[in-house]
Amino acid sequence: MATKIQIARPTKMELARLKKRHRLALRIQKIVKDRLSILVMEFIQTIKESARLRLRLYEEMAHAHTSFSLTAGYHGYEPLKKELLGAVSVLKIRAESRNVAGVRIPMFENAQEFSPHDEPRNPLDYSGHMEHTQTLAHSCLETLVELAELQKSLDLLGIEINKVKRINNALEYVVIPSLFLTIKYLNMKFEERDREEAARLKRVKLLIEQREAYAY
Amino acid sequence: MPIDQGKDAAIDGYLTNELKAVNAHLPRRRKTLAQLMNEEHPHVLLNDGTEHHFRKKELRRLAGMITEEEQSRLLLPMILEVQSEAGDIVVHTKEGIEAKVFSAIAGMPLVVRHDILRIFKAQVSTLRSELKTTTQYVFRP
């Protein structure tokens, strides 16, 4: 609940200072609201992308699993395991960061392009099936890395949205109303002082008139 | 090790009084697309002391949209100015390169008036989904 700010002395200077603070608070609230709307927009966009990527990952995993089963049937599990273990070590990710409206978000990028022909293979244990499985498995890993980036972005954006919301609420429901109440109180105080002054002047004038009347 | 790149005159206007805190994520100095394309880890140094990295895929995409001469004039990240009163996003584009890029991504011609390009918020989400690292928001009341 907004309450009047405690001020040491109700002076015109204090009133001017409070009015300045009130204008500044309104300006800041506008910026905070803009930032909040941008962050929410980014958050929704990230959610949509995350959902799309998740669907793609499920599809890719289903394809990889089918391909893996076919290859396992063709070569047997042992040679397949041996070959696929080599593929895992190929994935190199560069972790960097980007900034979205003041929020630092991690960014993962593939350091090198994957090619199943990069590593030496035993031609007896290797075939087109295996190459296809390897490519699909690698593609799954890449999508997983992308998804990890989006999930972390969602977390960080969510935390920032909460923070900005709290700032906005504090401004909207506490700071600005308190300043407004105090300004109103000071204005009323000054008006009252003016009225008192006017009444006093009237009284003094009346007394002087009465004194002058008695003197004659 | 980040290198201090000096100040950017276009950005200094956004860093006055209370805007200094909310726009601390702006780069100290922007780099051209051509410069960034030659870097191994393309990045700019921000006013808060952190780094903002660019995705190489995005840079390559941008390079494909404009000529080589324009690549050496396009400053990145492109600044999207959020204005409370107008309710939309403004991009200052003296050279018109930003307008060319945004038109290509939005898939429709965007009109530049007095070096200012206005984008509706609905279009911004499309732009941001395509140009995540090469655009940056700036707030102005």
Side-chain angles (χ1 to χ4, degrees), chain B residues 61 65 98-110 127:
Chain B
R61 191 169 173 210
M65 288 177 187
E98 288 91 343
K100 194 176 168 183
V101 169
F102 290 160
S103 297
I105 289 168
M108 59 185 289
L110 298 171
L127 289 179

Side-chain angles (χ1 to χ4, degrees), chain A residues 67-77 80:
Chain A
S67 177
F68 184 84
S69 305
L70 278 171
T71 317
Y74 189 78
H75 287 279
Y77 275 107
L80 185 62

